[in-house]
Every structure is written in structure tokens, then in C-alpha cells.
């Protein structure tokens, strides 16, 4: 990685290469139970791998887990992330590859696509390619950084209640995301489209809107709105667009909802390996 640290990469299956920044290891114990409470598949990464590796050569790497374990408070920039992703592809021997990422890993995919001609396809889930909430996310991450390291209040957030959630991250962990969104301050995602030349797909849940209270910067992070309102513009720019009816941010990232969108599109776009 760009800071000299190392990341584990697992390769599954045969066929066209697909870079997948997910944790291939299922969560266990208390962590798995907490994920279930929030409506998350404890084996999210592994479920995606299992759903794709019969047709594609899936290159899986837990990038989010990596930056949490080895924070990069001053260097988690779009340039560095793209360099890290290319290093993973190089390590796996993938000269050309597709990429799928969700949420901040989706916007990272857009930054990657702007910086390389090696992509065969780009899929962004849970973050709009046009009209992205970059300024809002900067405010949320700055507020999170301010709250990091504070003594816990002892309150327990109900699943889905983002506003009352405790910040259990360190200053270094939160600072790296401030660094990322500061680097994207003023980013023109409309102008960036001319740099994306590969086939591309985006999707989001129609209920993907999070209202953050004052302690989080008092902002409204709307993912669904730009995808819905700018759908015609996105399609004119070459994007395939899918709206997942009634799903929020967490629901729309679950394998049971992602695979019916992602897999057929990748097969139609890239073909696939030998099905087992």
C-alpha cells in the first residue's frame, strides 16, 4: 500500500477479473450479532464472492478493514486510494479488471476510473456518480472526528438510529476520512465523467437518505435523490441506472439485493468464466 503497509488479497474463481474491496471472512460472535441487529449479512463479503466467483476471477481485499487497522490520517486521498487499488490488481496479476464498490468505496471507484485505463467496468453502489454529497460528508466526517476519543455516554443506539450512535473510533481512524473528503472539496463530478471510458452501472436504494442531527453537523445526506433526479442525465452519459425500491443505505448493500443487479450486468458486459 501507499504507506508501506501490507494488505491480504484473496483470489477466487476464474474468468474476467473483478476487484472487490470486501472482507472475505465472515464476522463471528458478538460482531456478527451486532451486524444482524442492523440488518447486515455477517458474511457480506463472502456472500458476494460466492455469488460471483463461479463466473469471474474475484480479487477480494478488505480495504475498509485495512484502513481501520492501519489508519492513514494524512494520506487517505483519492490519488493514494487509486494507487492502492492498482497495487492490489498488480499483485493479483490483473492487467485489466472490473471494479465494484459501495458507499465511500464507490466514490473511490470513480476516482480510480479517472486515473487509469485498465478498468473493464465500473459499478458504484450507494453513492451517486453525479451530484454526490461530498460537502455533506465532509461535515459529517469532521463532526465524527471531533467526537472521536470522547468518553462514551453509555447510551445504546437502536438499529438504524444513526443520530444516537456512539463514536468508538480513534482520532487517527476518523481523521483519514476528513482527509479524503477535504481532498474532494470542490470536486466536479460532472466534469469527471469525460474521464470515465469503461461501461458503468450505478444503483441505490430509493429510501437512501440519512438525516444527521446537530452533533453530526446537522446535514442531510441524500443518495437516492441525485440518482432519481439525474437519471436521464446519467443514462445520457453512458451509465446504466438501477433504483432499489424501498431500500435504505444498509439494505441496498446486502448481497441478497446487490447480486440480482450486479451479477447479470457483469455477465452481459464482460461475459463470464466456466460456470460450475
Amino acid at each position: 500500500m501507499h504507506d508501506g503497509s501490507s494488505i491480504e488479497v484473496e483470489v477466487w474463481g476464474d474468468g474476467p477479473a473483478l476487484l472487490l474491496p470486501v472482507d472475505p471472512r465472515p464476522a463471528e460472535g458478538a460482531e456478527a450479532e451486532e451486524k444482524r441487529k442492523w440488518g447486515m449479512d455477517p458474511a457480506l463479503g463472502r456472500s458476494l464472492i460466492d455469488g460471483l466467483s463461479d463466473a469471474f476471477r474475484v480479487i477480494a481485499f478488505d480495504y475498509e478493514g485495512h484502513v481501520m487497522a492501519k489508519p492513514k490520517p494524512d494520506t487517505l486521498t483519492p490519488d493514494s486510494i487509486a494507487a492502492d487499488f492498482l497495487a492490489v490488481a498488480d499483485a493479483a496479476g490483473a492487467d485489466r479488471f472490473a471494479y465494484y464498490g459501495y458507499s465511500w468505496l464507490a466514490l473511490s471507484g470513480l476516482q480510480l476510473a479517472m486515473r487509469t485505463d485498465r478498468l473493464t467496468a465500473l459499478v458504484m453502489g450507494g453513492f451517486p456518480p453525479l451530484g454526490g454529497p461530498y460537502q455533506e460528508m465532509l461535515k459529517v466526517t469532521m463532526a465524527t472526528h471531533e467526537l472521536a476519543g470522547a468518553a462514551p455516554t453509555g447510551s445504546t443506539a437502536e438499529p438504524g438510529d444513526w443520530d444516537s450512535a456512539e463514536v468508538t473510533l480513534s482520532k487517527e481512524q476518523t481523521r483519514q476520512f476528513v482527509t479524503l473528503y477535504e481532498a474532494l472539496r470542490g470536486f466536479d463530478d460532472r466534469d469527471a465523467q469525460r474521464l470515465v471510458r469503461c461501461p458503468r452501472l450505478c444503483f441505490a436504494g430509493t429510501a437512501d437518505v440519512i438525516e444527521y442531527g446537530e452533533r453530526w453537523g446537522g446535514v442531510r445526506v441524500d443518495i437516492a435523490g441525485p440518482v432519481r433526479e439525474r437519471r436521464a442525465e446519467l443514462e445520457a452519459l453512458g451509465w446504466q441506472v438501477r433504483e432499489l425500491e424501498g431500500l435504505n443505505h444498509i439494505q441496498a448493500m446486502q448481497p441478497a439485493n446487490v447480486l440480482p443487479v450486479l451479477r447479470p450486468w457483469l455477465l452481459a458486459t464482460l461475459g463470464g468464466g466456466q460456470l460450475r
Side-chain angles (χ1 to χ4, degrees):
M1 301 287 93
H2 72 271
D3 61 345
S5 62
S6 298
I7 190 170
E8 289 188 9
V9 180
E10 293 191 8
V11 181
W12 297 72
D14 296 303
L18 171 64
L19 220 60
L20 202 61
V22 298
D23 187 353
R25 297 177 181 142
E28 298 178 345
E31 182 186 2
E33 187 56 36
E34 186 65 20
K35 286 181 180 294
R36 288 190 190 97
K37 286 181 183 177
W38 284 74
M40 298 185 71
D41 181 352
L44 188 149
R46 184 58 183 271
S47 296
L48 289 173
I49 293 166
D50 289 347
L52 295 165
S53 58
D54 64 335
F56 303 98
R57 183 170 182 258
V58 178
I59 302 164
F61 61 111
D62 184 12
Y63 194 69
E64 183 162 11
H66 170 75
V67 302
M68 287 305 187
K70 299 173 182 177
K72 307 163 198 317
D74 301 314
T75 62
L76 194 71
T77 63
D79 282 337
S80 296
I81 293 171
D84 286 348
F85 290 175
L86 291 173
V88 169
D90 289 345
D95 182 55
R96 302 269 291 160
F97 54 91
Y99 175 90
Y100 162 59
Y102 192 88
S103 196
W104 75 273
L105 292 167
L107 76 85
S108 298
L110 179 60
Q111 296 298 318
L112 173 67
M114 294 165 54
R115 289 165 169 79
T116 185
D117 59 1
R118 293 169 60 180
L119 276 186
T120 55
L122 168 65
V123 183
M124 293 178 64
F127 202 94
L130 283 178
Y134 294 96
Q135 188 61 33
E136 292 85 350
M137 286 307 302
L138 176 58
K139 288 183 179 179
V140 171
T141 52
M142 289 177 71
T144 306
H145 181 57
E146 287 298 315
L147 292 169
T153 64
S155 62
T156 302
E158 290 297 315
D161 181 7
W162 297 91
D163 203 42
S164 60
E166 292 282 356
V167 177
T168 58
L169 305 176
S170 71
K171 285 289 188 182
E172 282 198 333
Q173 287 172 322
T174 55
R175 175 63 202 174
Q176 63 189 340
F177 293 104
V178 176
T179 295
L180 172 59
Y181 287 104
E182 281 182 336
L184 291 167
R185 193 195 298 264
F187 172 62
D188 186 343
D189 55 13
R190 180 64 176 79
D191 183 63
Q193 301 299 318
R194 63 186 173 80
L195 301 174
V196 184
R197 300 180 180 89
C198 62
R200 64 215 79 154
L201 166 71
C202 67
F203 68 88
T206 61
D208 192 344
V209 182
I210 300 175
E211 302 277 359
Y212 288 94
E214 287 305 314
R215 68 194 290 254
W216 302 101
V219 298
R220 183 174 194 261
V221 176
D222 187 357
I223 301 298
V227 173
R228 179 180 63 253
E229 294 157 12
R230 304 183 73 164
R231 179 165 186 160
E233 186 179 1
L234 282 164
E235 290 175 340
L237 288 165
W239 289 87
Q240 295 288 312
V241 181
R242 304 285 186 272
E243 297 177 76
L244 307 187
E245 189 61 39
L247 301 187
N248 63 26
H249 194 68
I250 287 180
Q251 292 166 337
M253 73 184 291
Q254 301 312 306
N257 297 317
V258 171
L259 286 169
V261 175
L262 179 62
R263 180 184 166 91
W265 185 81
L266 287 174
L267 284 170
T269 303
L270 304 176
Q274 293 295 317
L275 301 187
R276 295 193 297 273

